[in-house]
Amino acid sequence: MPAGTPGSARHSSTAAGLKKQPAEPRPSASIILLSPTNQVLLLHRVHTLSAFPSAHVFPGGNLSAFHDGDIPPPGDAGRHADSLPYRLGAIRETFEESGILLAQHMCAGGDALLNLPSADRDEARRAIYENKERFVDWVERVGGVVDAENLVPFTRWITPEATPKRFTTQMYLYMLPLSSSEDPAIAAAQSEAMIPTPDGGVEHMAARFDDAASWLEKQRKGEIILFPPQYFLLQLISQFLTGPPPPSAGSVNNLAAGVTEHYAWQRERLRGFLDAVPTATEPRAAGHHTAWIPWKDKVISPVTLGLRRSDRRTILGLDKPGPELKGTERGGDWERVVLVKFGKGVVRDVEVRSREEVLAEERKAERAAEALKL
């Protein structure tokens, strides 16, 4: 059937007439990057961008067939699943945007990352951004291998269908080795240095590591902008990444070993969380099929459930996987919702709450409003 006719791939017939189909989501990937002290890297986007202006975001971006290999086409189930192109894209974009290279030395053992001079990194970032050399070829040429194996899947987000620009974004968690704090790019990010991005700073102004709880607190104070996916994921991991250990007496060597063990323990708990089911604790939520999808496999396409009567914030449900995966067994998180107030290009007052509690509050508010009419 020709494209554009009723019932074709682009349009479907409804009682109200022709309804345009959602835009095809573009494959992208992003990394929640943990420092050796389990802080999280966020990039500050400039205010002139059309997508997420002025927001703090995880490093990542669109997949590239030139750099990342064959990308599953629309309609292919693999387009919305973890695969090597998504992993390569996530690592490449992180390198382009922050200079942090998630690659190991080809001949060395252990988990130490390949460390190159900053000047060499910056030159490569420009060349890769401009497609002058394939990312994996450059990594191999300098004696490294991309560390795709140590990426841990941590949800996929598909943009709601009403949005003109849509993405299917695979999120990953990557834990920098506990011994890698001497890396110059990591040190620069920790000091909130301006990063020499390949496009001259058009997309990102700075990169910084901070505690997950600190990022959330800055958002609550209005100091930074976090969109719902970033806020939601930071909220989840903040349960486990709770900062440094409390002060204790002992020798310098024993204290250092204790600190390392503390951060390793946090990471182990977080890894267990990503694999565990059920993911819900409330009885009704635990009975929903999404509770039996581990966090590493959840697919979330936010859906508006309504507006709060009390503060007019939008209530976003997180259990649906999006139109592309409708009718499959995939899904997100039924137990929680995100409350958010949308403005022109910005969001504020983001909060994660229990779905049951929020909807119960709305029913109570509705009954109170009806009583006032009597």
Side-chain angles (χ1 to χ4, degrees):
M1 185 178 295
T5 58
S8 74
R10 291 190 57 81
H11 293 79
S12 61
S13 179
T14 67
L18 293 177
K19 180 182 178 181
K20 188 175 181 179
Q21 291 295 305
E24 177 63 34
R26 187 171 181 178
S28 64
S30 191
I31 296 179
I32 302 173
L33 185 63
L34 302 188
S35 77
T37 56
N38 290 347
Q39 293 186 322
V40 182
L41 177 67
L42 290 185
L43 309 179
H44 187 192
R45 291 170 65 83
V46 299
H47 71 279
T48 54
L49 295 174
S50 60
F52 307 113
S54 300
H56 279 70
V57 299
F58 304 121
N62 295 325
L63 269 58
S64 162
F66 175 76
H67 290 289
D68 310 322
D70 293 335
I71 302 169
D76 189 313
R79 193 171 178 87
H80 307 289
D82 170 37
S83 62
L84 183 58
Y86 278 102
R87 292 179 177 237
L88 292 177
I91 292 175
R92 172 183 53 79
E93 284 285 340
T94 296
F95 177 63
E96 288 182 14
E97 294 179 341
S98 72
I100 297 176
L101 179 60
L102 305 182
Q104 296 179 345
H105 198 287
M106 191 177 296
C107 300
D111 59 358
L113 296 179
L114 182 67
N115 199 344
L116 300 173
S118 296
D120 292 351
R121 292 176 187 239
D122 291 341
E123 181 181 357
R125 291 165 70 187
R126 287 190 294 271
I128 292 163
Y129 179 79
E130 295 170 359
N131 292 340
K132 293 180 178 178
E133 184 172 11
R134 292 180 69 242
F135 175 59
V136 291
D137 292 343
W138 171 77
V139 173
E140 183 177 350
R141 181 165 61 81
V142 296
V145 56
V146 176
D147 190 19
E149 291 185 3
N150 279 321
L151 288 175
V152 181
F154 184 18
T155 70
R156 173 178 290 269
W157 293 73
I158 298 181
T159 312
E161 58 183 299
T163 307
K165 288 184 178 180
R166 301 181 65 226
F167 302 91
T168 173
T169 304
Q170 179 64 56
M171 302 296 305
Y172 295 101
L173 186 72
Y174 188 97
M175 304 176 186
L176 288 167
L178 296 175
S179 60
S180 66
S181 59
E182 296 302 317
D183 187 296
I186 297 172
Q190 288 174 326
S191 64
E192 200 172 9
M194 298 299 289
I195 55 174
T197 54
D199 57 8
V202 171
E203 290 189 7
H204 303 102
M205 295 189 293
R208 182 182 178 182
F209 283 103
D210 206 345
D211 293 328
S214 295
W215 287 125
L216 295 170
E217 182 62 21
K218 289 175 182 178
Q219 188 277 334
R220 283 190 283 267
K221 291 180 177 179
E223 297 174 1
I224 66 172
I225 296 172
L226 292 173
F227 278 79
Q230 286 78 17
Y231 187 95
F232 182 77
L233 294 175
L234 284 169
Q235 179 79 28
L236 289 179
I237 66 176
S238 68
Q239 305 171 79
F240 309 100
L241 309 181
T242 54
S248 60
S251 68
V252 173
N253 289 338
N254 288 339
L255 289 176
V259 169
T260 300
E261 290 176 0
H262 174 77
Y263 292 128
W265 172 73
Q266 290 182 347
R267 293 179 174 196
E268 190 61 31
R269 293 178 64 223
L270 179 54
R271 288 191 186 96
F273 170 76
L274 297 183
D275 290 327
V277 290
T279 60
T281 57
E282 297 175 358
R284 186 177 177 189
H288 197 269
H289 81 93
T290 57
W292 299 95
I293 302 173
W295 285 105
K296 63 185 180 67
D297 296 328
K298 287 186 184 294
V299 182
I300 299 173
S301 185
V303 175
T304 299
L305 302 180
L307 288 178
R308 293 255 293 176
R309 287 177 175 268
S310 59
D311 55 21
R312 309 305 294 168
R313 282 189 291 176
T314 299
I315 306 170
L316 294 178
L318 306 173
D319 55 308
K320 305 298 184 185
E324 289 75 20
L325 297 174
K326 186 177 180 180
T328 69
E329 293 299 314
R330 305 184 73 181
D333 178 32
W334 190 90
E335 185 172 35
R336 300 164 184 83
V337 295
V338 172
L339 305 179
V340 58
K341 188 165 288 186
F342 289 105
K344 189 175 182 180
V346 298
V347 297
R348 55 191 177 92
D349 301 333
V350 187
E351 185 182 6
V352 177
R353 291 278 308 279
S354 159
R355 181 190 189 113
E356 291 272 77
E357 289 180 0
V358 168
L359 296 185
E361 291 170 359
E362 292 309 298
R363 289 191 292 268
K364 182 178 179 180
E366 185 176 356
R367 289 193 297 268
E370 290 296 325
L372 290 175
K373 295 178 182 179
L374 299 178

